[in-house]
Amino acid sequence: MKPDLVKRLTKSLPATLGLKSSSSLAKVTTGTEILSIAPNVSLQKARSWDEGQESGHIWNPGVCSEEHVPTYMENIDKFKAKGIDTVICVSINDPYVMNEWAEKLQCKDAIEFYGDFDGSFHKSLKLVTNLSNVLLGTRSERWSAYVVDGVIKDLNVEEDPSVVTVSAAQTILEQI
């Protein structure tokens, strides 16, 4: 993917998405029974993947970090040898989490990470899945694409989000 395409994708997101100021929304006031406003909402205490697994709320944790992204990290030199300018990881998450994730995986210099903070990019591509049953909400499907000058040449979408087969780096390397 060329740098100018990345710039176009990330330029002026709030205006492009039609985001409005939160000041136009009604706010809760003193005396309001908070649970009456959000009766079917449950908040989840922040916890690690390991704690989530112990509680039985997360299945097959770490696929992205332990299986998917590493296939690209391990093959970055092969991508460069084939003339690939940029390997990008995009996920439905905020850019701050994406930065921490890249740093944790120690691949920030090899792979560019982008946050699709509200899922609009993935929704536009019809590559979203609902993982609310495991407390993850709307997430990106597990996929990879070989993109040349902004045009998808090959698209690989996993049928099962808990595995890495067709979306692994080796598939893309064979498609280049």
Side-chain angles (χ1 to χ4, degrees):
M1 194 180 294
K2 286 195 167 196
D4 60 324
L5 178 63
V6 172
K7 286 179 187 171
R8 283 189 304 172
L9 288 173
T10 58
K11 184 180 175 187
S12 189
L13 276 175
T16 303
L17 298 173
L19 297 178
K20 298 178 181 172
S21 167
S22 62
S23 63
S24 64
L25 303 174
K27 293 184 180 179
V28 66
T29 61
T30 303
T32 302
E33 185 180 333
I34 201 163
L35 295 179
S36 69
I37 294 173
N40 297 318
V41 174
S42 65
L43 300 176
Q44 299 296 319
K45 185 175 189 232
R47 58 181 171 248
S48 70
W49 281 106
D50 292 338
E51 291 168 326
Q53 188 175 23
E54 289 169 11
S55 70
H57 287 118
I58 297 176
W59 100 117
N60 201 8
V63 174
C64 298
S65 297
E66 295 173 13
E67 295 179 41
H68 201 196
V69 174
T71 68
Y72 289 86
M73 292 177 359
E74 294 161 4
N75 288 286
I76 200 70
D77 291 335
K78 292 179 184 176
F79 283 106
K80 299 295 181 189
K82 287 187 174 248
I84 300 302
D85 296 326
T86 310
V87 174
I88 294 173
C89 174
V90 62
S91 177
I92 299 177
N93 231 315
D94 64 70
Y96 312 106
V97 166
M98 295 301 288
N99 183 65
E100 290 298 315
W101 187 29
E103 286 183 4
K104 181 179 179 188
L105 294 177
Q106 299 177 344
C107 63
K108 199 170 177 180
D109 294 333
I111 299 171
E112 292 185 18
F113 281 64
Y114 289 86
D116 179 14
F117 75 96
D118 66 353
S120 60
F121 176 71
H122 285 88
K123 288 174 189 171
S124 296
L125 299 175
K126 307 265 189 280
L127 289 173
V128 293
T129 187
N130 184 348
L131 297 178
S132 294
N133 61 329
V134 290
L135 304 180
L136 295 175
T138 300
R139 292 279 147 208
S140 167
E141 291 192 37
R142 188 172 311 285
W143 62 283
S144 65
Y146 173 42
V147 179
V148 177
D149 295 330
V151 177
I152 297 172
K153 299 293 184 180
D154 288 289
L155 177 65
N156 313 292
V157 182
E158 298 289 354
E159 288 187 34
D160 179 350
S162 67
V163 299
V164 178
T165 55
V166 300
S167 64
Q170 190 58 37
T171 301
I172 296 288
L173 286 168
E174 292 169 5
Q175 293 169 333
I176 298 173

